[in-house]
Amino acid sequence: MKKSINIIGAGRAAQPIAAILQHHPYYYMQAVFSRSLNSATDLAARIGAQAVADIACLPKADITLIGTPDAAIVETTLLLARLPWVNGDTLFVHLSGSKTIGELAALAQREAKVGSLHPVFAFADVAQSIQTLSGSLCALEPDENSLPDLEALAGALGLRPFVIASAQKARYHASLSAAANFSVALADFAQKLLASTQIPIAMQRELVASLMQQNAGNLMEQAPIDALTGPIVRGDAATVAMHLAAISADEQAVYKAWAMETLQLARPRLSEEAYQAVYVALNSITARD
């Protein structure tokens, strides 16, 4: 027998997840609620479900997926906990990477099964996400009863699940945020260094992104210290000094911050003399402007 699913929220994560589950033979999409009725109506039409204007009108479902912003999970949970059909046979799952299942406490008090399912995936574009989500890793945070259901959901989405404890969730999400967001900020910085050159903008983007893509591939096979390349790990203090001399004071501040982190990572591969030479270069350049 197919399991019914309600969707709360119609954002970048909820939309592709709902669209993929729509086609799975084990599940059927039943209802969609969003603070924006138009968004709920649009998503419901695409997945063959009904849109509801009020959480109180949600029909009974085997599974309810909560895809709201993190700050709204508790508020949403309190409203869901008022529904008369909440019991030990119903499962409520939020999609947050940072929030724990503690956010669903009001539902747990009603003896519902609770859990979180967090695909390690950048949901930037809905259509592209539908095509490329499969194969991604996925963090599952179960209660004592929900793990089989969470694993089944992950499998239906084509995800590769692993279990994480509630106490580890914040550190886990800090790591993912650093990897996903700091890398984008670093790409922006690198592209801005090219802004005053005669290189076309599209090529500037390709130069930076292709190198980052190559490094990401290397990191799948090697530890960061082994994947590191460039003047710092070579102990080439003269090149580091040349970089700093060519950029502005504001750019130097950013470059030095990243370079010092890189130098600490590279230290085991450097002689003490080479380490000190790069360290001095990073701290002795006067800004050109």
Side-chain angles (χ1 to χ4, degrees):
M1 180 181 296
K2 288 187 175 183
K3 290 195 172 184
S4 56
I5 298 179
N6 291 337
I7 298 283
I8 311 296
R12 289 183 177 180
Q15 289 186 58
I17 285 173
I20 294 169
L21 292 175
Q22 166 199 10
H23 297 292
H24 195 275
Y26 190 60
Y27 301 102
Y28 71 92
M29 311 311 298
Q30 180 172 253
V32 180
F33 169 79
S34 175
R35 289 185 175 181
S36 165
L37 182 57
N38 286 338
S39 296
T41 301
D42 288 345
L43 177 57
R46 282 185 274 126
I47 63 174
Q50 62 173 307
V52 299
D54 192 318
I55 282 184
C57 298
L58 281 171
K60 181 178 180 180
D62 298 304
I63 301 168
T64 299
L65 299 180
I66 303 171
T68 65
D70 287 2
I73 294 175
V74 170
E75 177 188 353
T76 302
T77 297
L78 292 172
L79 295 173
L80 289 169
R82 298 175 185 172
L83 295 171
W85 48 263
V86 176
N87 58 41
D89 295 325
T90 54
L91 171 66
F92 294 83
V93 182
H94 74 61
L95 305 178
S96 171
S98 62
K99 299 297 184 180
T100 72
I101 59 174
E103 305 287 294
L104 307 177
L107 290 161
Q109 289 170 5
R110 291 284 311 276
E111 300 184 348
K113 293 180 288 186
V114 298
S116 76
L117 182 151
H118 180 247
V120 184
F121 186 84
F123 289 99
D125 176 81
V126 173
Q128 185 178 26
S129 296
I130 293 171
Q131 297 299 317
T132 59
L133 178 62
S134 180
S136 300
L137 288 166
C138 177
L140 306 180
E141 182 196 358
D143 66 9
E144 63 273 16
N145 299 311
S146 62
L147 183 57
D149 293 311
L150 294 175
E151 289 177 332
L153 275 171
L157 291 165
L159 301 171
R160 297 184 290 132
F162 62 94
V163 175
I164 189 164
S166 297
Q168 301 169 340
K169 200 75 179 286
R171 193 170 184 88
Y172 152 82
H173 195 256
S175 171
L176 298 189
S177 295
N181 301 315
F182 296 174
S183 60
V184 174
L186 179 58
D188 179 67
F189 172 69
Q191 288 181 32
K192 284 176 178 175
L193 290 181
L194 292 170
S196 62
T197 70
Q198 300 304 309
I199 300 171
I201 292 175
M203 189 174 291
Q204 293 175 19
R205 185 179 300 115
E206 182 179 353
L207 282 168
V208 172
S210 63
L211 276 175
M212 297 184 80
Q213 187 174 43
Q214 291 167 32
N215 276 328
N218 292 339
L219 287 168
M220 292 293 290
E221 306 294 334
Q222 299 175 292
I225 189 172
D226 298 318
L228 193 60
T229 62
I232 292 176
V233 76
R234 294 196 303 267
D236 187 352
T239 296
V240 171
M242 179 186 69
H243 290 172
L244 289 168
I247 60 181
S248 70
D250 288 343
E251 291 167 339
Q252 281 187 15
V254 179
Y255 182 102
K256 287 181 179 181
W258 284 106
M260 288 301 296
E261 290 298 320
T262 304
L263 181 60
Q264 295 311 311
L265 173 62
R267 190 165 192 171
R269 289 177 56 182
L270 293 170
S271 67
E272 184 61 22
E273 180 181 6
Y275 171 86
Q276 291 298 332
V278 175
Y279 184 90
V280 169
L282 286 170
N283 288 280
S284 62
I285 297 296
T286 300
R288 64 181 176 85
D289 58 346

